[in-house]
Amino acid sequence: MKKRFYFGSNLKMYKNIKETTSYLKELVDLTGDISREDMTLFIIPSFPTLASASSCIDHSLCLLGAQNMHPAEQGQFTGEVSPLMLQEVGTDLVMIGHSERRHVFGETDPEENAKVLSALSHGFRALLCIGETAEEKAYGISREVLRTQLKIGLHNVNTKDLDRIWIAYEPVWSIGEQGTPASPDYAQEMHRAIRKCLTELFGDRAKDIPCLYGGSVNPQNTDSLIIQPDIDGLFVGRAAWEAQKFNSLIRQAIHTSETFNSGRV
Ligand code: 13P
């Protein structure tokens, strides 16, 4: 069976409303000829842009995500955004536990778990981000860290909701301007460990959970990452923030993977 690819970008705290909508329109336009049977495309802009972003694109061509969410529907939680508010503006997926949420804002695995469960019960796809720090890697405990993040983050997820769980493996040391990309071999090893843990948790159905790699993805490492057997897609920051560059990266990845796989059979 042909592999479905996932490509997405987290716009972090960049781009105002005008920049976000023009970026989205251009990206959807440029990628319009790529069959959505073969590819799922998603963009995660800032909260204030979501309503305008949602109305400017066809969601069957590009899913729209939120960068965070409070698990409660309402309450005395100043500065937080609820699932009902995200539903109202037309959000398809919620990113949970991004490295910057965990390490800059101190979010914990039990908090991510509450968000995952709430996102699922409100009909969203939940994109759970996991990844070890440089220190944890140096101690040789990356797999243990990933397993803990998965086992707590996905605690009590009902198997009926599994088709709306996505995982992004983003090693903390690989993200952003100071980051160094993971080597493709290392990324594959961690993705294999993730897949093994998901299978322990959910059995055979775990094979359908998309697992994306993120952290300093760029045109130079795209090819060697996308051909890894346990990497289902790429979650990109800086290299995706211009629509033309992201379009080129997506096409490059699909082309490389298809060429690689046709050479294999
Ligand atoms: P960079 O690709 O800029 O390293 O960011 C990755 C990321 O944080 C995606 O969520």
Side-chain angles (χ1 to χ4, degrees):
M1 202 177 74
K2 207 169 171 189
K3 189 168 166 176
R4 167 183 278 279
F5 296 102
Y6 290 77
F7 296 104
S9 184
N10 164 18
L11 304 187
K12 307 193 180 183
M13 202 171 71
Y14 294 98
K15 294 192 192 293
N16 62 23
I17 294 175
K18 192 161 167 277
E19 289 161 348
T20 302
T21 52
S22 65
Y23 167 79
L24 278 168
K25 282 189 227 159
E26 191 182 355
L27 185 63
V28 166
D29 199 36
L30 287 168
T31 57
D33 63 312
I34 305 174
S35 162
R36 267 43 179 186
E37 299 279 301
D38 305 331
M39 168 185 82
T40 298
L41 178 65
F42 64 99
I43 298 294
I44 310 183
S46 68
F47 285 135
T49 67
L50 275 175
S52 313
S54 175
S55 53
C56 87
I57 48 160
D58 175 345
H59 290 233
S60 68
L61 299 177
C62 181
L63 299 174
L64 200 65
Q67 296 182 10
N68 186 19
M69 185 193 80
H70 193 282
E73 292 194 343
Q74 59 178 14
Q76 299 175 78
F77 303 113
T78 303
E80 293 289 317
V81 171
S82 96
L84 300 184
M85 295 165 185
L86 293 180
Q87 281 175 342
E88 201 176 16
V89 292
T91 309
D92 305 298
L93 76 110
V94 180
M95 173 167 64
I96 293 159
H98 185 272
S99 152
E100 288 149 19
R101 296 302 318 166
R102 291 176 188 265
H103 298 285
V104 183
F105 299 99
E107 291 185 11
T108 64
D109 285 318
E111 285 170 342
E112 312 311 4
N113 179 233
K115 294 180 190 201
V116 167
L117 297 177
S118 174
L120 293 173
S121 75
H122 288 89
F124 300 116
R125 293 159 186 81
L127 171 60
L128 177 65
C129 302
I130 59 172
E132 81 285 3
T133 63
E135 194 183 18
E136 290 161 341
K137 180 172 184 270
Y139 280 122
I141 57 165
S142 302
R143 283 180 186 74
E144 286 88 334
V145 171
L146 299 178
R147 288 175 65 81
T148 301
Q149 291 174 339
L150 287 171
K151 288 176 102 166
I152 300 180
L154 300 177
H155 187 65
N156 277 340
V157 165
N158 194 313
T159 46
K160 79 172 175 19
D161 294 327
L162 275 190
D163 57 346
R164 287 183 289 121
I165 289 283
W166 300 2
I167 303 296
Y169 168 57
E170 299 200 292
V172 179
W173 44 270
S174 75
I175 293 178
E177 276 161 23
Q178 318 306 330
T180 34
S183 74
D185 287 348
Y186 183 80
Q188 164 57 24
E189 252 182 69
M190 294 305 117
H191 274 255
R192 177 140 297 170
I194 291 167
R195 186 69 68 195
K196 183 167 175 281
C197 180
L198 291 172
T199 305
E200 282 168 30
L201 292 173
F202 302 114
D204 194 43
R205 293 207 42 209
K207 71 177 184 339
D208 297 326
I209 299 177
C211 296
L212 287 70
Y213 171 79
S216 295
V217 173
N218 59 49
Q220 287 71 47
N221 61 23
T222 286
D223 292 347
S224 44
L225 286 166
I226 201 69
I227 60 173
Q228 301 304 324
D230 290 298
I231 295 182
D232 302 312
L234 301 173
F235 190 27
V236 192
R238 291 155 295 153
W241 293 342
E242 283 175 40
Q244 297 205 359
K245 288 192 179 157
F246 196 22
N247 172 53
S248 305
L249 191 141
I250 290 168
R251 286 176 192 279
Q252 176 188 337
I254 293 177
H255 175 75
T256 301
S257 176
E258 287 178 352
T259 313
F260 183 77
N261 288 326
S262 67
R264 266 180 161 178
V265 283

